[in-house]
Amino acid sequence: MNRSMGSRNLYLIPYMLWIVLFVVAPILLILYYSFFNVEGQFTFENYAKFFTPVYLKMTLSSFWYALLITIFSLLIAYPTAYLLTRTKHKQLWLLLVILPSWINLLLKAYAFIGLFGTYGFTNALLETIGIGTQQILFTDFSFIFVSVYIFIPFMILPIFNAIEELNPSLIYAARDLGASPFTTFRRVIFPLTLSGVKAGIQAVFIPALSLFMITRLIAGNRVITLGTAIEQHFLVTQDWGMGATIAVFLIIIMIAIMFISGQGKRGVPHGKK
């Protein structure tokens, strides 16, 4: 017994080293830098500066766009995942949905620049049908559209798995008891697949908060988020302290979201009883 426990602890060493080196150490380094200004002097000024209207507005903007991206992703992903579970070759279709996530993000961004540009395919199509050339690139629409396209596989996958694990006899029982398709979905299917929805929301909302490449390439810096501010401070203004401070608050927000969604997941099994 002791020998097996010792071998298990031995296997945990690489995992713990990975966590310490690539999770704990970077967070501590960011926390350390957040207490220094541009001149390298120790200060709490960065934290006071974060609560000024400029950064608070930026935080609200990040939340707003992340919320929109998450909502649109969910509205598209849930029916898509449900239909995928009903298709004949569902694993193949699921692979085709996930396949775009294997392509480099920068390549996808430049592909959409070509599609949404003034002389791109989308404007050519609008010209053909008589609408005329429109400014699609560098707008809120293009930013949200491309972001949803990028994140939607991460929303579909957990929902698909949750629907796949759903016992079909529960749906048949609801129908036998006279429940309409909408009532069956509202009272049976959706509550029992809520864990997948929460996992999908977590997988989309958290990274959507810190987007920066898409804001620059697709939105043309019209959309300013916390991720954009961090990039600007580290690479342009060289104010690492302020960039690290924003990153600290972003990490706190992400941990809070993970904790809230984790609390919700623990409540799911009680609802199944």
Side-chain angles (χ1 to χ4, degrees):
M1 185 72 176
N2 292 331
R3 187 177 297 174
S4 62
M5 287 294 291
S7 62
R8 286 180 185 177
N9 292 333
L10 189 64
Y11 292 139
L12 282 174
I13 291 174
Y15 173 75
M16 295 305 296
L17 283 173
W18 178 273
I19 294 296
V20 170
L21 289 173
F22 298 105
V23 178
V24 178
I27 291 174
L28 291 176
L29 194 60
I30 288 170
L31 187 62
Y32 171 78
Y33 276 119
S34 68
F35 291 106
F36 292 90
N37 58 21
V38 182
E39 288 78 26
Q41 299 169 337
F42 183 86
T43 180
F44 291 100
E45 184 184 341
N46 295 327
Y47 286 90
K49 196 175 177 181
F50 183 83
F51 291 99
T52 57
V54 174
Y55 289 100
L56 289 177
K57 184 179 178 181
M58 200 179 297
T59 303
L60 289 175
S61 176
S62 297
F63 267 94
W64 173 244
Y65 283 110
L67 182 64
L68 287 177
I69 292 166
T70 304
I71 289 171
F72 285 122
S73 296
L74 180 60
L75 290 175
I76 298 170
Y78 201 102
T80 303
Y82 185 81
L83 290 172
L84 283 174
T85 59
R86 298 294 181 270
T87 55
K88 187 176 181 182
H89 304 289
K90 51 190 171 185
Q91 296 299 333
L92 175 62
W93 286 108
L94 184 64
L95 177 64
L96 292 175
V97 169
I98 297 172
L99 200 60
S101 65
W102 297 354
I103 301 171
N104 184 273
L105 180 61
L106 189 62
L107 291 176
K108 287 189 283 190
Y110 277 111
F112 275 104
I113 290 173
L115 287 172
F116 289 158
T118 306
Y119 303 103
F121 173 79
T122 306
N123 269 315
L125 184 63
L126 292 175
E127 282 281 353
T128 303
I129 61 179
I131 295 176
T133 303
Q134 302 294 321
Q135 179 59 47
I136 303 172
L137 200 61
F138 308 139
T139 60
D140 288 358
F141 166 78
S142 61
F143 170 69
I144 293 171
F145 184 93
V146 174
S147 299
V148 169
Y149 169 79
I150 289 167
F151 286 120
I152 205 165
F154 304 105
M155 182 71 80
I156 289 175
L157 191 57
I159 295 174
F160 175 87
N161 291 332
I163 296 173
E164 273 285 271
E165 293 172 1
L166 183 63
N167 190 344
S169 62
L170 297 173
I171 301 173
Y172 301 145
R175 291 174 182 171
D176 290 341
L177 292 170
S180 65
F182 177 74
T183 304
T184 302
F185 172 78
R186 185 172 60 88
R187 300 293 296 273
V188 179
I189 298 173
F190 188 75
L192 294 179
T193 56
L194 200 56
S195 60
V197 172
K198 289 178 180 178
I201 289 172
Q202 189 181 94
V204 172
F205 188 84
I206 290 175
L209 276 174
S210 56
L211 282 172
F212 68 91
M213 187 190 298
I214 304 300
T215 58
R216 183 180 293 278
L217 296 176
I218 303 297
N221 281 340
R222 289 188 69 257
V223 176
I224 304 297
T225 63
L226 293 176
T228 310
I230 292 170
E231 183 206 20
Q232 288 287 322
H233 282 302
F234 272 98
L235 300 181
V236 181
T237 66
Q238 297 294 308
D239 189 355
W240 289 21
M242 194 61 223
T245 303
I246 299 170
V248 168
F249 281 102
L250 192 58
I251 291 168
I252 292 170
I253 292 167
M254 290 177 177
I255 291 171
I257 293 167
M258 290 175 68
F259 177 77
I260 292 166
S261 60
Q263 289 288 94
K265 287 177 187 178
R266 282 196 283 273
V268 171
H270 298 290
K272 289 185 178 180
K273 290 182 181 180

